[in-house]
Amino acid sequence: MGGFHLLAENHPTGVKNRCMDVAWSPKGDGSFVVAHQDGSLHLFQKRTSNMGEGVQEDKTDGSLMRLGSFGRRSMVEQSNNMDRMQVCAASIHALCFSPDGKALATACGDGRVRVWDLERRQLLYGFSSFYGAFLCCAWSSDGKYIAAGGEDDTVAIYSVMERTTVVWGEGHDSFVSAVAFDDWFVSPEATVVAGAPTDVKTYRLATAGQDTKVCLWELRVQEEDNGVDSPDPMGDVAERIQPPPCRSDMCFLAPLYEHKLHQEPLSCIGFTEDALLTCCQGGQVRIWDRPPAFRAGSPRSPS
Protein backbone atom coordinates (compact mmCIF):
# COMPACT_ATOMS: atom_id res chain seq x y z
CA MET A 1 0.00 0.00 0.00
CA GLY A 2 2.97 2.30 0.38
CA GLY A 3 3.27 2.66 -3.37
CA PHE A 4 -0.34 3.76 -3.59
CA HIS A 5 0.24 6.53 -1.06
CA LEU A 6 3.30 7.67 -3.02
CA LEU A 7 1.21 7.81 -6.15
CA ALA A 8 -1.38 9.95 -4.39
CA GLU A 9 1.28 12.36 -3.16
CA ASN A 10 2.77 12.67 -6.66
CA HIS A 11 -0.54 13.33 -8.35
CA PRO A 12 -0.10 15.97 -11.12
CA THR A 13 -2.53 18.34 -9.44
CA GLY A 14 -0.66 18.14 -6.15
CA VAL A 15 -3.85 17.03 -4.41
CA LYS A 16 -4.10 13.86 -2.33
CA ASN A 17 -5.98 11.43 -4.51
CA ARG A 18 -7.61 8.41 -2.90
CA CYS A 19 -7.17 4.98 -4.53
CA MET A 20 -10.56 3.33 -4.98
CA ASP A 21 -9.81 -0.06 -6.54
CA VAL A 22 -7.05 -2.23 -8.01
CA ALA A 23 -7.35 -4.79 -10.82
CA TRP A 24 -4.62 -7.22 -11.87
CA SER A 25 -4.27 -8.01 -15.57
CA PRO A 26 -5.25 -11.63 -16.35
CA LYS A 27 -2.44 -11.74 -18.91
CA GLY A 28 -0.10 -12.81 -16.12
CA ASP A 29 2.55 -10.17 -16.82
CA GLY A 30 2.30 -8.67 -13.32
CA SER A 31 0.69 -5.42 -14.48
CA PHE A 32 -2.26 -3.86 -12.68
CA VAL A 33 -4.44 -0.77 -12.91
CA VAL A 34 -5.39 1.53 -10.05
CA ALA A 35 -8.58 3.60 -10.02
CA HIS A 36 -8.68 6.99 -8.30
CA GLN A 37 -11.27 9.20 -6.72
CA ASP A 38 -10.71 11.94 -9.30
CA GLY A 39 -11.80 9.64 -12.14
CA SER A 40 -8.32 8.76 -13.40
CA LEU A 41 -6.50 5.46 -13.99
CA HIS A 42 -2.84 4.63 -13.36
CA LEU A 43 -0.97 1.64 -14.68
CA PHE A 44 1.72 -0.25 -12.77
CA GLN A 45 3.94 -2.87 -14.33
CA LYS A 46 6.76 -5.13 -13.19
CA ARG A 47 10.27 -3.92 -13.84
CA THR A 48 11.88 -5.32 -16.98
CA SER A 49 15.44 -5.26 -18.29
CA ASN A 50 14.42 -2.93 -21.11
CA MET A 51 13.64 0.15 -19.06
CA GLY A 52 12.13 3.14 -20.77
CA GLU A 53 13.07 6.77 -20.24
CA GLY A 54 11.10 8.40 -17.46
CA VAL A 55 10.56 5.22 -15.46
CA GLN A 56 11.12 5.45 -11.71
CA GLU A 57 12.81 2.25 -10.55
CA ASP A 58 13.02 0.80 -7.09
CA LYS A 59 16.36 -1.01 -6.77
CA THR A 60 14.96 -3.69 -4.48
CA ASP A 61 14.76 -7.06 -6.23
CA GLY A 62 11.25 -8.15 -7.07
CA SER A 63 9.83 -4.67 -6.55
CA LEU A 64 7.39 -2.89 -8.81
CA MET A 65 8.27 0.11 -10.91
CA ARG A 66 5.95 2.97 -11.58
CA LEU A 67 5.15 3.69 -15.20
CA GLY A 68 3.47 6.92 -16.16
CA SER A 69 -0.12 5.79 -16.36
CA PHE A 70 -0.84 4.97 -20.00
CA GLY A 71 2.42 6.83 -20.72
CA ARG A 72 5.99 6.11 -21.83
CA ARG A 73 6.71 2.44 -22.46
CA SER A 74 3.27 1.55 -21.16
CA MET A 75 1.15 -1.19 -22.69
CA VAL A 76 -1.21 1.37 -24.15
CA GLU A 77 0.57 4.00 -26.21
CA GLN A 78 4.36 4.21 -26.16
CA SER A 79 4.48 7.67 -27.73
CA ASN A 80 2.17 9.31 -25.21
CA ASN A 81 3.83 11.38 -22.45
CA MET A 82 0.72 11.78 -20.27
CA ASP A 83 0.97 10.44 -16.74
CA ARG A 84 -2.62 9.27 -16.41
CA MET A 85 -5.83 8.53 -18.24
CA GLN A 86 -8.91 10.51 -17.30
CA VAL A 87 -12.00 8.32 -17.50
CA CYS A 88 -14.65 10.67 -16.10
CA ALA A 89 -15.17 13.63 -13.79
CA ALA A 90 -16.59 11.43 -11.01
CA SER A 91 -14.91 8.79 -8.88
CA ILE A 92 -14.13 5.36 -10.31
CA HIS A 93 -15.50 2.93 -7.72
CA ALA A 94 -14.51 -0.41 -9.27
CA LEU A 95 -12.48 -2.04 -12.04
CA CYS A 96 -12.69 -5.37 -13.82
CA PHE A 97 -10.62 -6.81 -16.66
CA SER A 98 -12.19 -8.91 -19.39
CA PRO A 99 -11.05 -12.54 -19.19
CA ASP A 100 -8.62 -12.08 -22.09
CA GLY A 101 -7.18 -8.90 -20.55
CA LYS A 102 -7.87 -6.80 -23.64
CA ALA A 103 -10.61 -4.63 -22.15
CA LEU A 104 -11.18 -2.92 -18.80
CA ALA A 105 -14.60 -2.09 -17.33
CA THR A 106 -14.85 0.90 -15.00
CA ALA A 107 -17.82 1.42 -12.67
CA CYS A 108 -18.13 5.16 -12.15
CA GLY A 109 -19.81 7.59 -9.80
CA ASP A 110 -21.65 9.27 -12.67
CA GLY A 111 -23.81 6.16 -13.08
CA ARG A 112 -22.00 4.66 -16.07
CA VAL A 113 -19.92 1.58 -16.72
CA ARG A 114 -17.36 2.32 -19.41
CA VAL A 115 -15.40 -0.39 -21.21
CA TRP A 116 -11.97 0.54 -22.57
CA ASP A 117 -9.61 -0.95 -25.13
CA LEU A 118 -6.32 -0.62 -23.26
CA GLU A 119 -4.07 -1.12 -26.26
CA ARG A 120 -5.67 1.69 -28.24
CA ARG A 121 -6.76 3.73 -25.24
CA GLN A 122 -10.25 3.92 -26.66
CA LEU A 123 -13.76 3.82 -25.26
CA LEU A 124 -15.53 0.77 -26.72
CA TYR A 125 -19.01 0.78 -25.18
CA GLY A 126 -20.86 1.16 -21.91
CA PHE A 127 -24.19 1.38 -20.13
CA SER A 128 -25.98 3.48 -17.54
CA SER A 129 -27.71 2.84 -14.24
CA PHE A 130 -31.38 3.53 -13.66
CA TYR A 131 -30.17 6.26 -11.30
CA GLY A 132 -27.19 6.94 -9.04
CA ALA A 133 -23.61 5.73 -9.07
CA PHE A 134 -22.32 2.31 -10.03
CA LEU A 135 -20.29 0.87 -7.13
CA CYS A 136 -19.15 -2.53 -8.44
CA CYS A 137 -18.75 -4.56 -11.62
CA ALA A 138 -17.78 -8.07 -12.70
CA TRP A 139 -17.21 -9.92 -15.96
CA SER A 140 -18.51 -13.41 -16.72
CA SER A 141 -15.82 -16.03 -17.30
CA ASP A 142 -16.65 -16.30 -21.01
CA GLY A 143 -16.51 -12.52 -21.48
CA LYS A 144 -20.07 -12.26 -22.77
CA TYR A 145 -21.73 -10.45 -19.85
CA ILE A 146 -20.89 -7.65 -17.44
CA ALA A 147 -22.80 -7.28 -14.17
CA ALA A 148 -22.79 -3.99 -12.24
CA GLY A 149 -24.57 -2.77 -9.12
CA GLY A 150 -24.87 0.48 -7.27
CA GLU A 151 -27.07 3.12 -5.74
CA ASP A 152 -30.28 2.16 -7.58
CA ASP A 153 -30.35 -1.06 -5.46
CA THR A 154 -30.28 -3.29 -8.57
CA VAL A 155 -27.70 -5.33 -10.46
CA ALA A 156 -27.66 -4.64 -14.21
CA ILE A 157 -26.54 -7.47 -16.51
CA TYR A 158 -25.17 -6.21 -19.82
CA SER A 159 -24.66 -8.28 -22.98
CA VAL A 160 -21.34 -7.46 -24.62
CA MET A 161 -22.41 -8.91 -27.98
CA GLU A 162 -25.85 -7.27 -28.05
CA ARG A 163 -24.54 -4.00 -26.56
CA THR A 164 -27.53 -3.68 -24.27
CA THR A 165 -28.59 -4.37 -20.69
CA VAL A 166 -30.67 -7.55 -20.87
CA VAL A 167 -32.01 -7.71 -17.30
CA TRP A 168 -31.93 -5.97 -13.92
CA GLY A 169 -31.79 -8.03 -10.72
CA GLU A 170 -34.07 -6.52 -8.07
CA GLY A 171 -33.85 -7.86 -4.52
CA HIS A 172 -31.74 -5.51 -2.37
CA ASP A 173 -33.14 -2.83 -0.07
CA SER A 174 -30.07 -0.61 -0.27
CA PHE A 175 -26.96 0.03 -2.38
CA VAL A 176 -25.36 -2.99 -4.08
CA SER A 177 -21.73 -2.94 -2.89
CA ALA A 178 -20.24 -5.98 -4.65
CA VAL A 179 -21.00 -8.48 -7.40
CA ALA A 180 -19.29 -11.68 -8.53
CA PHE A 181 -19.97 -14.32 -11.17
CA ASP A 182 -19.58 -17.94 -10.17
CA ASP A 183 -16.70 -18.84 -12.51
CA TRP A 184 -16.99 -22.49 -11.57
CA PHE A 185 -20.46 -22.78 -13.06
CA VAL A 186 -21.42 -21.99 -16.66
CA SER A 187 -23.83 -24.71 -17.74
CA PRO A 188 -24.67 -25.27 -21.40
CA GLU A 189 -27.92 -27.13 -21.95
CA ALA A 190 -28.70 -28.56 -25.37
CA THR A 191 -32.21 -27.68 -26.56
CA VAL A 192 -34.01 -27.56 -29.89
CA VAL A 193 -35.71 -24.35 -31.03
CA ALA A 194 -37.58 -24.26 -34.36
CA GLY A 195 -35.93 -27.55 -35.32
CA ALA A 196 -32.38 -26.31 -34.73
CA PRO A 197 -30.11 -27.09 -31.76
CA THR A 198 -29.58 -24.10 -29.48
CA ASP A 199 -27.39 -23.60 -26.43
CA VAL A 200 -29.11 -22.47 -23.27
CA LYS A 201 -26.46 -21.28 -20.85
CA THR A 202 -26.98 -20.71 -17.17
CA TYR A 203 -24.93 -18.05 -15.41
CA ARG A 204 -24.84 -17.83 -11.63
CA LEU A 205 -23.80 -14.73 -9.72
CA ALA A 206 -24.02 -13.21 -6.26
CA THR A 207 -24.41 -9.67 -4.96
CA ALA A 208 -23.71 -8.11 -1.56
CA GLY A 209 -25.47 -5.00 -0.33
CA GLN A 210 -25.35 -2.31 2.30
CA ASP A 211 -28.60 -3.86 3.57
CA THR A 212 -26.31 -6.63 4.98
CA LYS A 213 -27.95 -9.03 2.53
CA VAL A 214 -26.52 -11.47 -0.02
CA CYS A 215 -28.60 -12.28 -3.09
CA LEU A 216 -27.93 -15.24 -5.39
CA TRP A 217 -29.07 -15.02 -9.01
CA GLU A 218 -29.40 -17.34 -11.97
CA LEU A 219 -29.62 -16.09 -15.55
CA ARG A 220 -30.58 -18.47 -18.36
CA VAL A 221 -30.04 -17.26 -21.93
CA GLN A 222 -30.31 -18.76 -25.39
CA GLU A 223 -27.31 -17.85 -27.46
CA GLU A 224 -25.26 -18.91 -30.43
CA ASP A 225 -21.54 -19.50 -30.05
CA ASN A 226 -20.29 -16.52 -32.02
CA GLY A 227 -17.27 -15.87 -29.82
CA VAL A 228 -16.78 -12.79 -27.69
CA ASP A 229 -14.85 -10.50 -30.04
CA SER A 230 -16.92 -7.39 -30.59
CA PRO A 231 -16.64 -5.00 -33.54
CA ASP A 232 -14.83 -1.69 -33.35
CA PRO A 233 -16.84 1.13 -31.75
CA MET A 234 -19.19 2.95 -34.06
CA GLY A 235 -20.49 6.52 -34.02
CA ASP A 236 -19.72 9.34 -31.61
CA VAL A 237 -18.31 8.63 -28.17
CA ALA A 238 -21.58 9.69 -26.52
CA GLU A 239 -23.48 7.11 -28.60
CA ARG A 240 -21.34 4.22 -27.37
CA ILE A 241 -22.83 4.33 -23.88
CA GLN A 242 -26.37 3.03 -23.49
CA PRO A 243 -28.49 5.79 -21.89
CA PRO A 244 -30.44 5.35 -18.62
CA PRO A 245 -33.50 3.14 -19.13
CA CYS A 246 -37.15 3.92 -18.52
CA ARG A 247 -38.53 1.67 -15.80
CA SER A 248 -41.38 0.58 -18.05
CA ASP A 249 -38.78 -0.85 -20.48
CA MET A 250 -36.79 -2.73 -17.83
CA CYS A 251 -36.99 -6.51 -17.46
CA PHE A 252 -36.46 -7.66 -13.86
CA LEU A 253 -35.02 -10.82 -12.37
CA ALA A 254 -35.87 -12.00 -8.87
CA PRO A 255 -33.15 -13.52 -6.66
CA LEU A 256 -33.20 -17.25 -6.15
CA TYR A 257 -31.96 -16.76 -2.59
CA GLU A 258 -31.55 -13.78 -0.26
CA HIS A 259 -30.39 -13.66 3.32
CA LYS A 260 -28.76 -11.27 5.79
CA LEU A 261 -25.36 -12.79 6.57
CA HIS A 262 -23.66 -10.01 8.59
CA GLN A 263 -24.57 -7.36 11.14
CA GLU A 264 -22.73 -4.61 9.23
CA PRO A 265 -23.12 -3.49 5.60
CA LEU A 266 -21.39 -5.84 3.18
CA SER A 267 -18.41 -4.64 1.16
CA CYS A 268 -17.12 -7.65 -0.80
CA ILE A 269 -18.20 -11.03 -2.14
CA GLY A 270 -16.49 -13.76 -4.12
CA PHE A 271 -16.62 -17.40 -5.14
CA THR A 272 -14.03 -20.14 -4.84
CA GLU A 273 -14.40 -23.67 -6.09
CA ASP A 274 -15.61 -24.82 -2.67
CA ALA A 275 -17.08 -21.76 -0.96
CA LEU A 276 -18.69 -18.34 -1.02
CA LEU A 277 -16.74 -15.57 0.74
CA THR A 278 -18.28 -12.42 2.20
CA CYS A 279 -16.85 -9.51 4.15
CA CYS A 280 -18.43 -6.50 5.82
CA GLN A 281 -17.49 -2.98 6.84
CA GLY A 282 -17.07 -4.23 10.40
CA GLY A 283 -13.96 -6.12 9.30
CA GLN A 284 -15.37 -9.64 9.37
CA VAL A 285 -14.64 -12.18 6.64
CA ARG A 286 -16.88 -15.25 6.54
CA ILE A 287 -16.56 -18.41 4.45
CA TRP A 288 -19.73 -20.28 3.54
CA ASP A 289 -20.29 -23.70 2.01
CA ARG A 290 -21.35 -23.51 -1.59
CA PRO A 291 -25.13 -23.19 -2.00
CA PRO A 292 -27.17 -26.16 -3.22
CA ALA A 293 -28.29 -26.43 -6.82
CA PHE A 294 -30.46 -23.48 -7.79
CA ARG A 295 -33.80 -23.57 -9.49
CA ALA A 296 -33.68 -22.12 -12.97
CA GLY A 297 -34.57 -18.44 -12.82
CA SER A 298 -36.59 -16.48 -15.32
CA PRO A 299 -36.96 -12.75 -15.88
CA ARG A 300 -40.06 -11.08 -14.56
CA SER A 301 -41.68 -7.89 -15.69
CA PRO A 302 -42.19 -4.91 -13.34
CA SER A 303 -45.46 -4.96 -11.45
Side-chain angles (χ1 to χ4, degrees), residues 176-227:
V176 178
S177 310
V179 60
F181 278 91
D182 185 352
D183 292 340
W184 285 266
F185 183 87
V186 178
S187 173
E189 302 168 13
T191 60
V192 177
V193 177
T198 303
D199 280 341
V200 177
K201 290 189 177 180
T202 302
Y203 295 84
R204 291 177 177 172
L205 61 155
T207 53
Q210 294 187 14
D211 54 2
T212 74
K213 190 163 57 177
V214 165
C215 292
L216 303 180
W217 314 85
E218 195 170 80
L219 174 70
R220 301 180 73 237
V221 293
Q222 292 185 1
E223 55 184 19
E224 297 179 1
D225 189 10
N226 294 326

Side-chain angles (χ1 to χ4, degrees), residues 231-247:
D232 289 338
M234 301 293 291
D236 296 334
V237 172
E239 297 175 353
R240 298 175 195 169
I241 299 179
Q242 184 183 18
C246 297
R247 188 169 178 84

Side-chain angles (χ1 to χ4, degrees), residues 111 127-131 134 152 154 156 164-165 167-168 242-252:
F127 56 101
S128 304
S129 66
F130 179 57
Y131 66 85
F134 274 123
D152 61 5
T154 70
T164 187
T165 304
V167 71
W168 284 262
Q242 184 183 18
C246 297
R247 188 169 178 84
S248 60
D249 297 330
M250 297 167 67
C251 183
F252 290 96

Side-chain angles (χ1 to χ4, degrees), residues 17-255:
N17 188 23
R18 181 181 177 188
C19 300
M20 303 299 293
D21 196 16
V22 179
W24 289 91
S25 170
K27 292 182 177 180
D29 57 1
S31 61
F32 60 93
V33 177
V34 183
H36 289 269
Q37 194 173 30
D38 70 345
S40 66
L41 295 176
H42 289 257
L43 171 69
F44 286 80
Q45 201 167 34
K46 278 188 176 179
R47 185 183 47 188
T48 62
S49 57
N50 183 20
M51 301 289 291
E53 181 184 356
V55 173
Q56 300 176 5
E57 180 183 3
D58 188 332
K59 301 298 183 180
T60 305
D61 289 341
S63 63
L64 295 171
M65 68 178 185
R66 179 191 173 196
L67 294 180
S69 176
F70 300 97
R72 298 186 187 95
R73 305 292 183 181
S74 73
M75 60 193 248
V76 180
E77 190 174 354
Q78 295 182 4
S79 62
N80 194 334
N81 293 329
M82 293 182 66
D83 287 332
R84 63 187 180 121
M85 177 179 176
Q86 191 70 35
V87 169
C88 61
S91 175
I92 304 173
H93 292 289
L95 301 170
C96 184
F97 274 99
S98 61
D100 60 9
K102 294 180 180 179
L104 180 74
T106 57
C108 303
D110 62 359
R112 292 174 175 83
V113 168
R114 296 172 173 86
V115 179
W116 302 89
D117 181 330
L118 292 183
E119 295 293 338
R120 291 181 289 181
R121 193 177 164 192
Q122 185 177 39
L123 177 67
L124 295 175
Y125 47 85
F127 56 101
S128 304
S129 66
F130 179 57
Y131 66 85
F134 274 123
L135 304 177
C136 56
C137 60
W139 223 300
S140 64
S141 60
D142 60 5
K144 294 183 178 180
Y145 293 92
I146 302 171
E151 294 179 350
D152 61 5
D153 304 348
T154 70
V155 55
I157 302 177
Y158 178 87
S159 170
V160 172
M161 297 306 301
E162 298 178 30
R163 300 291 180 89
T164 187
T165 304
V166 294
V167 71
W168 284 262
E170 190 174 52
H172 284 281
D173 302 316
S174 187
F175 298 170
V176 178
S177 310
V179 60
F181 278 91
D182 185 352
D183 292 340
W184 285 266
F185 183 87
V186 178
S187 173
E189 302 168 13
T191 60
V192 177
V193 177
T198 303
D199 280 341
V200 177
K201 290 189 177 180
T202 302
Y203 295 84
R204 291 177 177 172
L205 61 155
T207 53
Q210 294 187 14
D211 54 2
T212 74
K213 190 163 57 177
V214 165
C215 292
L216 303 180
W217 314 85
E218 195 170 80
L219 174 70
R220 301 180 73 237
V221 293
Q222 292 185 1
E223 55 184 19
E224 297 179 1
D225 189 10
N226 294 326
V228 296
D229 291 335
S230 54
D232 289 338
M234 301 293 291
D236 296 334
V237 172
E239 297 175 353
R240 298 175 195 169
I241 299 179
Q242 184 183 18
C246 297
R247 188 169 178 84
S248 60
D249 297 330
M250 297 167 67
C251 183
F252 290 96
L253 183 71

